């Protein structure tokens, strides 16, 4: 299989961010110097759905873990290599696209007990701040909106690498994780086990395995 098959993300691409206006030299609250490997990555990017996974995992019945992902989403990303604090991300997930590999379970998740996709077709993450914490480590704060409820979350991000593929596309990889309490967003449905404990854990781990492609600069 060609890992660099010529896939250009085209599904529901969001409008680009407005241009950045730099007002001075970059500052770093942590004193971490910009990684020279990131020097050429400044600009607009979009998640490549063919090589990315925006997913989650949750403990089920206290003894196993169920994993799933969202297959449909809009994305717009901006990375500033010289001043990572100016970087930002906006990702909208289509709740009806949840996929855990079990049709009956997916139908339950998109129903009123959980995501209620008919009423709330989207969930969204919008960054509010980015901090570089190491040579290839970043902390991205933002607002996560589920079922109309917006609450702050913090993603721990790791820079994986960048490459120009055989078709001339610039690609960059980041992994991100955070853990949330689903009841904070009104996802409170549960069943109790006879042995004690809950059928579905309150804690949900969100996992973003992102491969992004640079978008060409707009003209005109």
């Amino acid at each position: 299989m060609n890992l660099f098959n010529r896939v250009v993300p085209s599904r529901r691409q969001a409008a680009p961010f407005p241009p950045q206006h730099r007002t001075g030299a970059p500052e770093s609250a942590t004193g971490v110097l910009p990684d020279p490997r990131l020097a050429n990555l400044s600009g607009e990017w979009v998640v490549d759905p063919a090589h990315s996974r925006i997913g989650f995992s949750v403990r089920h019945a206290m003894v196993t873990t169920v994993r799933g992902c969202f297959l449909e989403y809009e994305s717009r990303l901006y990375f500033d290599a010289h001043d990572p604090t100016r970087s930002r991300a906006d990702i909208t997930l289509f709740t009806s696209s949840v996929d855990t590999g079990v049709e009956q379970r997916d139908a339950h998740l998109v129903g009123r007990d959980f995501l209620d996709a008919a009423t709330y077709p989207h969930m969204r993450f919008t960054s509010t701040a980015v901090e570089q914490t190491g040579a290839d480590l970043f902390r991205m704060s933002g607002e996560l909106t589920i079922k109309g409820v917006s609450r702050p979350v913090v993603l721990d991000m790791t820079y994986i690498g960048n490459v120009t593929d055989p078709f001339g596309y610039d690609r960059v990889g980041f992994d991100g994780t955070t853990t949330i309490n689903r009841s904070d967003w009104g996802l409170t449905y549960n069943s109790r086990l006879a042995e004690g404990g809950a059928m579905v854990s309150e804690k949900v781990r969100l996992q973003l395995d992102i491969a992004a492609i640079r978008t060409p600069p707009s003209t005109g």
Side-chain angles (χ1 to χ4, degrees):
M1 180 179 69
N2 184 357
L3 295 180
F4 291 110
N5 52 349
R6 193 173 187 270
V7 175
V8 181
S10 60
R11 290 184 296 182
R12 301 181 168 125
Q13 291 186 33
F17 288 106
Q20 290 278 78
H21 299 287
R22 303 183 62 82
T23 57
E27 298 180 357
S28 174
T30 61
V32 178
L33 294 176
D35 189 329
R37 296 176 300 169
L38 307 179
N40 297 320
L41 298 185
S42 292
E44 302 273 354
W45 300 77
V46 62
V47 176
D48 175 7
H51 299 94
S52 302
R53 182 179 185 274
I54 299 180
F56 59 89
S57 60
V58 60
R59 187 75 69 186
H60 179 263
M62 309 294 290
V63 296
T64 190
T65 299
V66 170
R67 294 175 173 84
C69 63
F70 294 90
L71 301 178
E72 298 287 339
Y73 43 83
E74 294 177 348
S75 65
R76 56 177 184 167
L77 315 173
Y78 175 80
F79 185 72
D80 189 322
H82 302 288
D83 184 2
T85 64
R86 297 179 183 267
S87 303
R88 51 211 190 277
D90 190 345
I91 300 177
T92 297
L93 308 175
F94 291 76
T95 51
S96 62
S97 73
V98 67
D99 180 17
T100 65
V102 177
E103 186 176 348
Q104 184 177 3
R105 181 167 57 211
D106 295 346
H108 192 194
L109 288 175
V110 301
R112 295 184 64 183
D113 284 341
F114 286 100
L115 295 173
D116 193 2
T119 306
Y120 303 98
H122 307 129
M123 54 188 291
R124 183 180 184 183
F125 173 81
T126 304
S127 66
T128 55
V130 177
E131 175 188 4
Q132 185 169 5
T133 58
D136 56 359
L137 301 175
F138 301 85
R139 182 172 294 120
M140 178 176 284
S141 302
E143 292 285 331
L144 177 63
T145 301
I146 306 175
K147 296 181 73 173
V149 177
S150 298
R151 297 182 64 88
V153 297
V154 177
L155 289 169
D156 291 316
M157 307 290 296
T158 301
Y159 165 70
I160 304 301
N162 70 89
V163 67
T164 301
D165 71 24
F167 301 101
Y169 293 110
D170 293 330
R171 294 177 177 267
V172 65
F174 284 90
D175 286 349
T177 62
T178 192
T179 299
I180 66 171
N181 188 321
R182 61 186 176 89
S183 62
D184 290 343
W185 283 265
L187 304 174
T188 57
Y189 174 85
N190 222 331
S191 297
R192 308 304 298 180
L193 298 171
E195 296 81 3
M199 179 67 74
V200 183
S201 172
E202 292 291 309
K203 292 184 178 181
V204 180
R205 186 167 183 255
L206 305 181
Q207 302 153 311
L208 288 78
D209 302 317
I210 298 298
I213 296 178
R214 189 192 300 273
T215 58
S218 58
T219 58

